[in-house]
Amino acid sequence: MSRRFEELDHQETPMGPVTLRRRFDAVLEADVFEVKLGEEFLMSSAFTVAEEELARLVLARLAEPPERGWQVLVGGLGLGYTAQAALEDERVGAVTVLDAVEQVIDWHRRELLPASAGLVADPRLALVHADFFAAVAGRQTTDAVGAPALSGAGYDAVLLDIDHTPHHLLNESHRDFYTVEGLSAMEAHLLPGGVLGIWSDDPPDEAFLDLLRQVYVDVAGEVVAFANRYTGGESTNTVYLARRR
């Protein structure tokens, strides 16, 4: 195997084969870590600004934390950058990450990714093998070993980074979440004043913003711009923000 390209792991999952690979990128002059589901690219470490901003933008909207610190729920572990950004804030008391793919959690426990060592060493972090969408809807109440999937006390912040956009879904089973009923079920897991943040690869979608406004207040679609060395210009993602009524 060339030192410029290495397949770090390949596993079968209920959603299809998932692959973790590392390649040297001549444009970035650095190693890039990528995850593929079948032939579809899911995520890359080439661009992580928006994933990190998802955590920072949500936490910036919270009131001062209680003594126990903010309780944060992350939907989707991925390469770990959203959880890492949340843990960088000392006001965060606990971060619970739900991921439906056990192999992704295993990659971090084996410290195969750049963010892994810092994540797994932080005592505030809990990695939970559970389907975020099923847990929010009450269809999955425990994780793979029988522990509660979600805290009954609720969360100050929920950070969701699983689907490409609210319309371009990783799995069709997620579609119910992006409805008034699904977003209302999510609101029930937020504490008063709690904030939901959702990452999207597309520009702000007015139809989805209107949908959020039916359930939440202080709704916004924040555009996150970052340098793109491949094009020599800028690229953008969106972070949707919404507060519990």
Side-chain angles (χ1 to χ4, degrees):
M1 184 71 71
S2 168
R3 293 180 62 186
R4 289 183 173 270
F5 180 90
E6 183 179 4
E7 185 175 284
L8 300 177
D9 199 19
H10 179 93
Q11 298 284 343
E12 292 296 327
T13 78
M15 291 189 292
V18 64
T19 304
L20 172 64
R21 67 185 197 178
R22 176 179 60 203
R23 64 177 177 83
F24 181 79
D25 190 294
V27 174
L28 302 180
E29 299 179 320
D31 282 338
V32 171
F33 292 78
E34 298 170 328
V35 178
K36 292 180 66 179
L37 180 62
E39 294 303 313
E40 182 176 12
F41 280 94
L42 296 186
M43 59 200 76
S44 167
S45 65
F47 303 110
T48 65
V49 172
E51 287 87 344
E52 295 163 339
E53 283 300 299
L54 169 61
R56 294 171 185 147
L57 287 169
V58 168
L59 296 181
R61 287 192 164 211
L62 295 178
E64 283 303 306
E67 186 175 346
R68 62 187 173 87
W70 290 322
Q71 305 298 294
V72 178
L73 175 66
V74 178
L77 175 58
L79 301 179
Y81 291 104
T82 298
Q84 182 183 59
L87 289 166
E88 286 173 355
D89 194 314
E90 295 181 353
R91 296 169 294 178
V92 169
V95 173
T96 301
V97 184
L98 269 59
D99 201 290
V101 181
E102 186 176 16
Q103 289 80 0
V104 173
I105 295 175
D106 182 59
W107 293 342
H108 285 279
R109 288 179 173 154
R110 290 160 58 192
E111 299 186 7
L112 296 181
L113 290 155
S116 298
L119 284 177
V120 298
D122 196 312
R124 296 173 294 165
L125 179 74
L127 299 178
V128 179
H129 177 208
D131 184 320
F132 172 87
F133 299 101
V136 166
R139 299 192 304 271
Q140 182 176 354
T141 57
T142 62
D143 66 11
V145 296
L150 295 176
S151 166
Y155 299 91
D156 299 285
V158 176
L159 316 175
L160 178 57
D161 180 9
I162 295 178
D163 293 310
H164 299 296
T165 79
H167 305 290
H168 183 190
L169 309 182
L170 184 60
N171 190 283
E172 190 61 27
S173 66
H174 304 170
R175 190 165 301 280
D176 286 349
F177 177 86
Y178 301 98
T179 64
V180 169
E181 293 77 16
L183 293 170
S184 296
M186 179 73 266
E187 184 196 31
H189 295 288
L190 281 165
L191 294 168
V195 177
L196 167 66
I198 303 174
W199 176 90
S200 174
D201 194 33
D202 280 353
D205 181 274
E206 285 302 322
F208 185 62
L209 287 166
D210 287 341
L211 187 66
L212 284 168
R213 292 185 185 105
Q214 294 184 53
V215 182
Y216 298 88
V217 296
D218 298 336
V219 171
E222 294 281 350
V223 175
V224 178
F226 50 91
N228 187 330
R229 290 177 62 179
Y230 296 111
T231 65
E234 277 192 343
S235 292
T236 62
N237 290 162
T238 297
V239 173
Y240 293 102
L241 298 163
R243 187 186 307 279
R244 178 180 169 176
R245 293 183 186 275

